[in-house]
């Protein structure tokens, strides 16, 4: 049997991030062959990841990265907020965002992209799950590009540059790039982060959503006992108000509290052609844990 030296164990630990005893066992299983030991650990990592795959992942980070006229945004989830402060996890989110910038936002394609370690995104995720010990998942990705102008990025409450809990992409078409357009793009990103618009313009809203809103408003207006003609005018006015709340270009610009977003963009001579906003964990049903009960249970109470 090959001699398993401390130096060999150290080398395997540095390559895989696995624990010392696991590295020693892997080297014994692989008769001292480093590559064989790495494969053995990866197999065990896959088993460990499978055991954790049912756990809810509603924490984590949103990451953004941009290059020229293209930008990418990803949401990578973990079980606890503690992991978001783990440097290895942060590096992984950055790597996933960079990969999305290259290959696009199709998740299946993204998982096959290669990251700095030489592994695929999917394999790197499995490795991280085995190393950190929490379930993790790549939930979504978005890539925006403009023919001319900028795709501005914004992270609200950044944990570090490009990483946080709320991320925004705003694709601004302009004759050329400039510091002024970049600054405006950042302001648009801040506005979107604050107001959570559902659509870019009125034509982008789901007609069914408008009809549902109109039906609710009609019931409310009819309850007032006013004549039908007055009721219709009331509904029209409230629908306009609805648009002002959910349509980005119709919203009041948060930076001055007066102008419409469309007017601000028109004045700057630019056009907003697309946007997206990721808020960490939105729509994920979180498990509510009673910490006191858990402690009592652990203590046998």
């Amino acid at each position: 049997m090959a001699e398993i030296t401390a130096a060999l164990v150290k080398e395997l630990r540095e390559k895989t991030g696995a624990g010392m005893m696991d590295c020693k066992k892997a080297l014994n299983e692989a008769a001292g062959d480093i590559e064989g030991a790495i494969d053995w650990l990866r197999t065990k990592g896959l088993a460990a990841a499978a055991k954790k795959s049912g756990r809810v992942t509603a924490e984590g980070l949103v990451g953004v990265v941009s290059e020229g006229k293209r930008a990418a945004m990803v949401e990578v989830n973990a079980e606890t907020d503690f992991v978001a402060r783990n440097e290895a996890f942060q590096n992984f989110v950055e790597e996933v965002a960079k990969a999305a910038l290259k290959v696009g936002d199709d998740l299946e394609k993204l998982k096959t992209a290669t990251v700095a370690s030489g592994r695929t995104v999917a394999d790197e995720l499995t490795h991280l799950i085995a190393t950190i010990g929490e379930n993790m998942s790549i939930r979504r990705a978005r890539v925006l590009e403009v023919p001319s102008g900028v795709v501005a990025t914004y992270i609200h409450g950044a944990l570090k540059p490009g990483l946080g809990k709320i991320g925004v992409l705003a694709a601004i078409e302009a004759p050329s790039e400039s510091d002024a357009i970049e600054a405006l793009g950042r302001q648009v990103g801040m506005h979107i982060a604050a107001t959570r618009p559902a659509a870019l313009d009125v034509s982008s809203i789901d007609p069914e959503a408008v009809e549902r809103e109109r039906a609710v408003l009609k019931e409310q207006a009819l309850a007032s006992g006013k004549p039908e003609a007055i009721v219709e005018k009331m509904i029209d006015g409230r629908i306009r108000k609805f648009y002002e709340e959910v349509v980005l270009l119709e919203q009041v610009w948060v930076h001055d509290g007066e102008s419409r977003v469309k007017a601000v963009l028109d004045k700057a001579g630019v056009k907003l052609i697309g946007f997206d906003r990721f808020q960490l964990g939105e729509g994920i049903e979180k498990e509510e844990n009673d910490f006191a009960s858990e402690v009592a249970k652990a203590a046998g109470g």
Side-chain angles (χ1 to χ4, degrees), residues 273-285:
I273 61 172
F275 77 93
D276 211 336
R277 177 188 187 277
F278 285 2
Q279 182 164 341
L280 181 69
E282 60 189 344
I284 298 175
E285 189 173 339

Side-chain angles (χ1 to χ4, degrees), residues 61-65 72-76 87-104 109-125 128 138 141 160-163:
L61 287 169
V62 172
V64 299
V65 64
M73 178 166 62
V74 298
E75 178 183 350
V76 182
E87 187 176 352
F89 181 77
Q90 293 176 3
N91 291 340
F92 176 68
V93 178
E94 290 173 339
E95 287 285 314
V96 175
K98 289 175 185 175
L101 192 65
K102 291 180 181 178
V103 305
K109 190 174 180 181
L110 178 57
K111 288 174 183 177
T112 65
T114 303
V115 294
S117 66
R119 301 184 183 98
T120 65
V121 167
D123 283 348
E124 190 72 11
L125 178 64
L128 200 59
I138 302 168
K160 62 182 286 191
L163 296 175

Side-chain angles (χ1 to χ4, degrees), residues 27-43:
L27 285 163
N28 278 320
E29 291 289 334
D33 177 64
I34 283 281
E35 294 303 319
I38 290 172
D39 288 342
W40 188 88
L41 284 169
R42 284 183 65 194
T43 301

Side-chain angles (χ1 to χ4, degrees), residues 51-57 79 133-135 287:
K51 290 176 185 176
K52 299 176 178 70
S53 63
R55 299 181 190 169
V56 175
T57 54
E79 293 178 57
E134 279 198 14
N135 189 27
E287 294 177 336

Side-chain angles (χ1 to χ4, degrees), residues 53-230:
S53 63
R55 299 181 190 169
V56 175
T57 54
E59 300 295 340
L61 287 169
V62 172
V64 299
V65 64
S66 63
E67 187 177 278
K69 300 175 180 63
R70 185 176 169 92
M73 178 166 62
V74 298
E75 178 183 350
V76 182
N77 299 128
E79 293 178 57
T80 66
D81 184 57
F82 179 76
V83 169
R85 301 183 182 279
N86 181 296
E87 187 176 352
F89 181 77
Q90 293 176 3
N91 291 340
F92 176 68
V93 178
E94 290 173 339
E95 287 285 314
V96 175
K98 289 175 185 175
L101 192 65
K102 291 180 181 178
V103 305
D105 47 26
D106 179 271
L107 285 187
E108 292 310 309
K109 190 174 180 181
L110 178 57
K111 288 174 183 177
T112 65
T114 303
V115 294
S117 66
R119 301 184 183 98
T120 65
V121 167
D123 283 348
E124 190 72 11
L125 178 64
T126 295
H127 172 74
L128 200 59
I129 291 170
T131 303
I132 293 178
E134 279 198 14
N135 189 27
M136 301 171 201
S137 61
I138 302 168
R139 186 183 183 200
R140 52 183 170 168
R142 183 71 192 276
V143 176
L144 290 179
E145 190 170 5
V146 290
S148 179
V150 299
V151 180
T153 65
Y154 175 71
I155 287 285
H156 181 71
L159 195 61
K160 62 182 286 191
L163 296 175
K165 300 298 179 75
I166 298 175
V168 176
L169 299 184
I172 298 178
E173 198 172 63
S176 61
E177 295 178 50
S178 70
D179 291 343
I181 301 301
E182 287 280 359
L184 177 61
R186 179 174 172 77
Q187 285 188 311
V188 171
M190 293 172 70
H191 174 98
I192 293 168
T195 63
R196 304 180 65 168
L200 174 61
D201 52 31
V202 171
S203 65
S204 302
I205 298 182
D206 180 359
E208 290 186 9
V210 176
E211 285 308 308
R212 283 196 301 271
E213 187 69 16
R214 184 177 285 278
V216 170
L217 293 173
K218 186 169 185 176
E219 286 297 320
Q220 292 174 346
L222 287 171
S224 68
K226 291 184 170 58
E228 186 76 22
I230 300 296

Side-chain angles (χ1 to χ4, degrees), residues 213 217 235-247 250 252 260:
E213 187 69 16
L217 293 173
I235 293 170
D236 288 342
R238 290 176 183 177
I239 285 292
R240 282 195 298 273
K241 184 68 176 174
F242 169 69
Y243 287 151
E244 289 168 9
E245 290 173 357
V246 303
V247 175
E250 303 298 324
V252 174
R260 298 288 174 197

